[in-house]
Amino acid sequence: MEALIFLVGVIGNIISVLVFLSPVKTFARIVKHGTTEEFESLPYICTLLNSCLWTYYGVIKPDAYLVATVNAFGLLVELAYVALFIFFAPPSKKAKAAILFGVIDVGFLVAAVLTTYLMLQGDARIDAIGFISSALNIIMYASPLAAMKRVLRRKSVEYMPFLLTFFLFLNGGVWTFYAVLAHDWFLGVPNAIGLLLGILQLSLYAIYYTPPSNHSHHTDPLLPVSHH
């Protein structure tokens, strides 16, 4: 069983890395054009907070190093995304992104870590961080609902990238399986929700997919996700 848990965790880490790297195309476009255009900073700022909290969770929980390692990688990647966004954003968006980063990724993170570290010990500390991280994951997993609403309204999947959707589905499935094996419900609940949303999104693809024309224009948006 230990070997199976480790194997599933490694597979989950590989898929999570692919999900973390999926916005690279978006940021290549931002760098090339020298502007963030209509993209928003909030998804990357929230995913950075999520990665930080799950790294902390993986560090303080025994035998959860697979959770810690992949989210430490995600932390570095998301930090790079946020830095690039703030650098290339126009003045109005630059100020907004910097404030959000300060409040969410510095203020909230420091408060959560210090509060749980100073006031709680052992399992209580692990449970508190696990609960906060899971709650954030569930909120973030709701973001594909907007994309799904757009698909239903337009009867087109043009703005819901297939590869990202597919990797999110795999990510939710593998980490749900890992959580069941490891009896970790803080991982299991948000990833099971992610798996369900992934199935719904892939179902929409099956219904509404049409081959792209040469003139179609994709924005390649990021959907915030769970990487644990």
Side-chain angles (χ1 to χ4, degrees), residues 58-72:
V59 168
I60 63 176
K61 181 174 180 180
D63 300 321
Y65 50 88
L66 286 173
V67 176
T69 51
V70 72
N71 283 287

Side-chain angles (χ1 to χ4, degrees), residues 57 60-62 120-131 186:
Y57 177 83
I60 63 176
K61 181 174 180 180
L120 301 171
Q121 292 183 336
D123 287 345
R125 182 188 298 163
I126 294 168
D127 289 349
I129 288 294
F131 182 80
F186 290 124

Side-chain angles (χ1 to χ4, degrees), residues 38 124 160 187:
E38 297 301 311
M160 197 163 68
L187 288 176

Side-chain angles (χ1 to χ4, degrees), residues 24-90:
V24 165
K25 182 180 174 184
T26 295
F27 278 89
R29 170 175 164 171
I30 287 172
V31 172
K32 181 181 178 182
H33 294 177
T35 174
T36 56
E37 301 175 52
E38 297 301 311
F39 294 107
E40 293 294 332
S41 62
L42 190 60
Y44 310 102
I45 288 170
C46 289
T47 307
L48 174 58
L49 172 65
N50 205 39
S51 297
C52 291
L53 287 173
W54 281 113
T55 300
Y56 181 42
Y57 177 83
V59 168
I60 63 176
K61 181 174 180 180
D63 300 321
Y65 50 88
L66 286 173
V67 176
T69 51
V70 72
N71 283 287
F73 172 80
L75 188 164
L76 295 174
V77 172
E78 296 299 330
L79 192 59
Y81 292 156
V82 171
L84 284 170
F85 193 100
I86 292 174
F87 183 80
F88 286 106

Side-chain angles (χ1 to χ4, degrees), residues 50 53-54 57-58 60-62 64 67 71 120 122-139 141 172 175-194 226-228:
N50 205 39
L53 287 173
W54 281 113
Y57 177 83
I60 63 176
K61 181 174 180 180
V67 176
N71 283 287
L120 301 171
D123 287 345
R125 182 188 298 163
I126 294 168
D127 289 349
I129 288 294
F131 182 80
I132 294 169
S133 301
S134 293
L136 280 172
N137 261 147
I138 291 169
I139 292 169
Y141 260 137
W175 283 112
T176 300
F177 185 40
Y178 176 90
V180 170
L181 293 174
H183 303 292
D184 190 330
W185 307 116
F186 290 124
L187 288 176
V189 171
N191 282 291
I193 292 171
S226 169
H227 306 291
H228 350 324

